[in-house]
């Protein structure tokens, strides 16, 4: 490295990165091949699915989704229950509700054509700053500053931005803006994502393989793996609850959770309150001879950790709700926490 100049040189970043991307780009089902026109629906859907979720987890779910709902019109006409069941296990279920709402808005307000302008995209349900920028750049080639967790890490290391997160995000976005080119904006965004995913990884970056190694101030100053600096996480509150498993003639009672709130609109096993102390049989769905199982189910949400007791009963009562065949429970689309509870019960009873 030349000690007489500063690093990085913003003008050197995009040519080096795009040349690397042309040789090493990932083949992903939502990406257009070189020379193809990107499908805005697939780009948007993938970006929403990939939030807080890995590529490995999303890939098969994406293929199944587009086979069932291949475009905005089909998704806009989909039943909410079917969409929520198809989303089960991907977490952050408000994303699924927003997908349907956005598809309906595209059909009703934009003639079924996804808007290209970043500001207009942000008016659609569920499209925040990141998603709108990603769609504008990747689907339409608009110059947009796309910063996800991978890009955040790459830029923090390139410019050796040492302010702890989240305070560093303003500086990181400004630095990303400096290196984002006017041409091939979508390829550049995806190249940054691929670089962060495969080379500039969180713990052991492969700096010798990086096309930007010669421009990286983090490498020059040493210990790039220490960037970005993250503030210490606060301990999450612990909550407790009880899940109720009620059987009748080979079926189990399921309910639909309220439309608003955590796991809203999802099919689920009945549960009592989730509070600071174990609630026992509070808010049981019916009077029965409940057996408390000697097992608990743990699950982490964004803002709290949850420990659930399991209460099991059999009944002949015609309780209101949905009585689902136990042998077909894997088709119910239960959220992960309830799928865990069902598996715990069935392991014991199997």
């Amino acid at each position: 490295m030349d000690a007489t100049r500063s690093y990085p040189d913003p003008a050197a970043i995009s040519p080096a990165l795009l040349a690397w991307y042309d040789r090493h780009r990932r083949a992903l089902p939502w990406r257009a091949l070189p020379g193809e026109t990107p499908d805005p629906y697939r780009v948007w859907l993938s970006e929403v699915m990939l939030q807080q979720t890995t590529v490995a987890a999303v890939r098969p779910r994406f293929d199944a989704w587009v086979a069932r709902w291949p475009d905005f019109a089909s998704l806009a006409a989909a039943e909410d229950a079917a969409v929520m069941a198809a989303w089960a296990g991907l977490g952050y279920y408000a994303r699924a509700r927003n997908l349907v709402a956005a598809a309906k808005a595209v059909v009703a307000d934009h003639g079924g054509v996804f808007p290209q302008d970043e500001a207009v995209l942000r008016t659609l349900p569920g499209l925040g700053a990141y998603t709108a920028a990603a769609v504008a750049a990747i689907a339409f080639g608009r110059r947009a500053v796309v910063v996800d967790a991978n890009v955040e890490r790459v830029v923090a290391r390139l410019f050796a931005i040492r302010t702890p997160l989240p305070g560093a995000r303003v500086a990181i976005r400004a630095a990303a803006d400096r290196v984002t080119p006017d041409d091939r904006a979508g390829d550049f965004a995806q190249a940054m994502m691929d670089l962060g995913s495969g080379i500039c990884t969180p713990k052991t970056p492969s700096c010798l393989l990086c096309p930007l190694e010669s421009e990286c101030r983090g490498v020059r100053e040493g210990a790039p793996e220490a960037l970005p600096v993250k503030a210490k996480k606060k301990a999450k509150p612990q909550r407790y609850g009880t899940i109720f498993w009620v059987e009748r003639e080979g079926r189990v009672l399921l309910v639909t959770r309220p439309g608003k709130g955590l796991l809203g609109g999802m099919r689920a096993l009945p549960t009592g309150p989730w509070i600071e102390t174990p609630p026992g049989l509070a808010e049981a769905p019916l009077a029965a001879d409940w057996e408390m199982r000697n097992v608990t189910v743990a699950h982490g949400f964004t803002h709290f950790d949850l420990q659930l007791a399991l209460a099991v009963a059999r009944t002949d009562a015609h309780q209101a709700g949905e009585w689902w065949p136990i042998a077909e429970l894997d088709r119910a689309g239960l959220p992960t926490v309830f799928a865990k509870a069902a598996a715990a019960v069935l392991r014991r009873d199997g």
Side-chain angles (χ1 to χ4, degrees):
M1 293 185 180
D2 184 352
T4 64
R5 74 173 179 89
S6 60
Y7 294 87
D9 175 6
I13 299 301
S14 64
L17 185 61
L18 288 169
W20 172 84
Y21 180 70
D22 288 340
R23 295 191 302 271
H24 300 289
R25 58 185 291 157
R26 288 181 290 178
L28 299 171
W30 45 85
R31 277 190 184 171
L33 295 173
E36 290 184 345
T37 300
D39 180 345
Y41 176 80
R42 296 170 75 92
V43 172
W44 162 67
L45 175 62
S46 69
E47 289 298 335
V48 175
M49 281 190 164
L50 286 164
Q51 293 168 21
Q52 308 293 329
T53 316
T54 65
V55 167
V58 165
R59 191 188 291 260
R61 306 295 293 276
F62 178 88
D63 289 337
W65 186 287
V66 295
R68 189 170 184 180
W69 300 297
D71 51 31
F72 293 106
S74 58
L75 182 57
E79 294 183 359
D80 287 348
V83 170
M84 298 306 287
W87 191 268
L90 289 174
Y92 297 89
Y93 293 93
R95 292 182 294 164
R97 292 192 292 273
N98 282 331
L99 279 171
V100 176
K104 289 179 177 178
V106 169
V107 171
D109 302 333
H110 301 280
V113 179
F114 218 27
Q116 299 187 20
D117 183 78
E118 187 177 351
V120 178
L121 286 166
R122 290 194 65 174
T123 68
L124 296 172
L127 272 82
Y130 165 76
T131 306
V135 171
I138 298 169
F140 302 114
R142 300 290 187 95
R143 186 189 185 279
V145 182
V146 183
V147 183
D148 69 354
N150 283 317
V151 177
E152 188 174 79
R153 183 168 58 256
V154 170
V155 172
R157 291 171 177 175
L158 266 177
F159 289 84
I161 297 172
R162 301 189 180 279
T163 303
L165 293 172
R169 289 194 170 121
V170 172
I172 288 173
R173 192 184 189 286
D177 194 3
R178 292 178 61 196
V179 300
T180 298
D182 292 331
D183 297 325
R184 296 188 66 185
D187 284 346
F188 180 80
Q190 292 174 115
M192 290 287 272
M193 295 172 191
D194 283 7
L195 189 72
S197 174
I199 301 292
C200 195
T201 52
K203 294 182 179 179
T204 54
S206 302
C207 296
L208 293 179
L209 300 178
C210 179
L212 306 181
E213 187 267 348
S214 64
E215 293 295 330
C216 183
R217 187 182 299 171
V219 169
R220 187 173 178 82
E221 295 182 2
E225 66 277 3
L227 298 171
V229 179
K230 296 183 179 180
K232 290 184 179 180
K233 291 184 178 180
K234 295 181 180 179
K236 290 194 288 187
Q238 179 69 57
R239 294 186 185 175
Y240 301 86
T242 302
I243 284 181
F244 298 96
W245 176 277
V246 193
E247 284 188 35
R248 188 186 75 191
E249 299 175 350
R251 296 172 178 264
V252 63
L253 177 64
L254 300 182
V255 297
T256 300
R257 293 179 63 81
K260 293 185 177 180
L262 199 60
L263 307 179
M266 297 295 294
R267 185 181 286 130
L269 294 166
T271 178
W274 295 350
I275 54 179
E276 289 72 22
T277 57
L281 297 177
E283 298 184 20
L286 74 166
D289 185 13
W290 293 103
E291 174 197 350
M292 298 298 297
R293 290 289 173 85
N294 188 26
V295 64
T296 58
V297 171
H299 190 74
F301 291 100
T302 305
H303 300 298
F304 65 93
D305 290 324
L306 181 63
Q307 183 172 307
L308 292 160
L310 299 179
V312 177
R314 287 174 172 80
T315 185
D316 295 324
H318 290 278
Q319 177 70 21
E322 188 174 13
W323 291 91
W324 194 276
I326 295 172
E328 300 176 11
L329 196 55
D330 58 343
R331 297 173 54 191
L334 296 179
T336 301
V337 61
F338 296 104
K340 286 181 182 179
V345 173
L346 294 172
R347 277 197 302 270
R348 167 76 176 271
D349 293 345

